[in-house]
Amino acid sequence: MTSGLLAIKSARAVIAGHGLEGEPFGRLVPSKELVRDIAPKRPGETPGDPAGDVSVSFIREKLGIASVATTRHTDALTARALAGEVSRTLFNPDVEAMTTRALALALDDYARTTGRGPGAGPGSLVGHIHLSWSADDHQLFALAEARREVGWHRPGLTSLHILSGCAGLFEALNYAQHLLHHTRAADDESAIVFVTASNDLSQIAHTRSPCPAPQNEDLDQWLFPAIFGEGAGAMIIGHADAQREGGEWVAEDWGAEPVTEDWRVIMPPDPDTPHMVIRARGVGATYRTHVPLAAQRGLAALGPGRTFADLHRLCLHESNPRMLTEVATHLGAPESTVHSISASVGTLAGVSVFALLDEALRTHRPGDPDSVVCALTGDVGNSVTAGHLTLRHHRR
């Protein structure tokens, strides 16, 4: 093994209604349908003028989001809310099934490239870290069931659940590094850590029903359920192996910094409000300021003289495709290096980087550029951070 370094052995994502893997779990709900259901209003131009309906063009043209990935479960809850029925749930079986499927796919990739299956060695699985913006006991048991289903469960396994949004991967990498390098796993070259993530809207399905006045004139109140999609992701992280046939993706650098001036995420005490309210007008300023800085720090970790044109992929957090394109252009990144699916699936919060790395790692071929840079921003533990992850493809 290569002392002190982590490797992303594989990364996969499953998104409701998206692609062959996501189709069994849900559908892509058109923005036109979402805006119709929520019925947001635009304030009149002068005081006293009646508010007018918000056009779907606001979502599709200003943000670039044409549809949002939605599970069957959340679709059903939304239908109940539209019928006037109050229905809340803390457990989404579709999201848990997607998490299991993403983990199975990541393990298939891992086994194919390393020849290691569940019996790779005593205690080879040393931890499972899960990222999501909400949790309950049922979900924690479901993660154990997911490990059993894929054949990698171990009694007494260290299991951590990090409440986070878009930038939770950095905390997961810190924990994975500790588990792999500061426990008995440090001497086991086959030791691995599972990192999974899910984005689940079932707890706020009721906010996809008509937004009540006067909140329907407040962008911060109705935009959240109109742009976020549902999905799950999984990564296998282990010791970097300099002798691995065909090479592997080594995490050469990562780091995150607090966005101290950010005021856009609040946690209201009102139980009838979604757990998190995003002040939408503040998102753009945070993204345009801090994502480019994070990307530049990630590029700098590769050494002097490198440009974004030298990357295999620049993975920019998919807050929305309009801002992503704007930042990529500002950085001078060629269009071919910046992958984006948010126009079809919405923003996936913490699952976004899993989906981006899924595409980046699977499309890499011999002779392609040897590096990937991820730049993310979002909430972790009720605060907003911005950070980078720099990967280099090492060959023996």
Side-chain angles (χ1 to χ4, degrees), residues 98-365:
M98 287 193 294
T99 304
T100 302
R101 182 59 183 155
L103 185 56
L105 292 170
L107 285 167
D108 285 346
D109 291 346
Y110 173 71
R112 185 177 63 256
T113 56
T114 66
R116 294 171 178 166
S124 56
L125 176 59
V126 297
H128 185 174
I129 303 164
H130 185 70
L131 309 171
S132 67
W133 70 281
S134 62
D136 67 352
D137 290 341
H138 199 160
Q139 184 185 69
L140 299 179
F141 281 108
L143 291 172
E145 287 302 315
R147 295 192 297 271
R148 291 188 182 94
E149 187 167 331
V150 298
W152 280 83
H153 185 63
R154 185 168 65 81
L157 181 72
T158 297
S159 182
L160 301 171
H161 189 188
I162 302 175
L163 291 174
S164 70
C166 312
L169 179 62
F170 303 118
E171 285 298 313
L173 289 170
N174 290 336
Y175 280 117
Q177 184 178 55
H178 175 80
L179 290 170
L180 289 166
H181 295 140
H182 300 286
T183 68
R184 287 180 293 179
D187 298 320
D188 181 0
E189 66 178 13
S190 68
I192 59 172
V193 173
F194 292 170
V195 178
T196 55
S198 60
N199 196 47
D200 173 16
L201 302 182
S202 63
Q203 292 191 60
I204 61 164
H206 63 288
T207 65
R208 283 190 169 169
S209 61
C211 187
Q215 287 94 331
N216 60 3
E217 297 181 34
D218 183 351
L219 182 70
D220 299 332
Q221 295 291 333
W222 65 259
L223 188 63
F224 181 80
I227 64 172
F228 277 82
E230 294 180 296
M235 290 184 191
I236 311 302
I237 298 179
H239 294 291
D241 182 1
Q243 301 303 311
R244 178 172 169 176
E245 186 71 27
E248 66 180 353
W249 291 97
V250 175
E252 293 207 339
D253 193 56
W254 73 84
E257 298 181 355
V259 181
T260 54
E261 76 276 16
D262 195 282
W263 54 272
R264 65 184 178 86
V265 177
I266 58 174
M267 305 293 286
D270 181 0
D272 293 325
T273 304
H275 291 288
M276 179 173 62
V277 171
I278 296 179
R279 291 178 174 172
R281 292 181 181 86
V283 172
T286 298
Y287 193 96
R288 293 181 178 92
T289 300
H290 294 280
V291 168
L293 294 174
Q296 289 160 353
R297 287 193 293 268
L299 182 67
L302 294 169
R306 300 292 290 266
T307 71
F308 290 104
D310 298 323
L311 300 177
H312 170 57
R313 288 289 185 273
L314 172 61
C315 298
L316 299 176
H317 172 63
E318 295 215 73
S319 179
N320 76 58
R322 295 282 190 243
M323 286 195 297
L324 184 149
T325 300
E326 180 184 328
V327 168
T329 301
H330 170 74
L331 292 171
E335 185 177 346
S336 61
T337 68
V338 182
H339 177 67
S340 174
I341 59 172
S342 55
S344 297
V345 304
T347 184
L348 298 171
V351 177
S352 170
V353 69
F354 290 76
L356 293 171
L357 286 174
D358 180 333
E359 191 276 342
L361 273 57
R362 288 192 295 112
T363 58
H364 189 261
R365 300 291 181 267

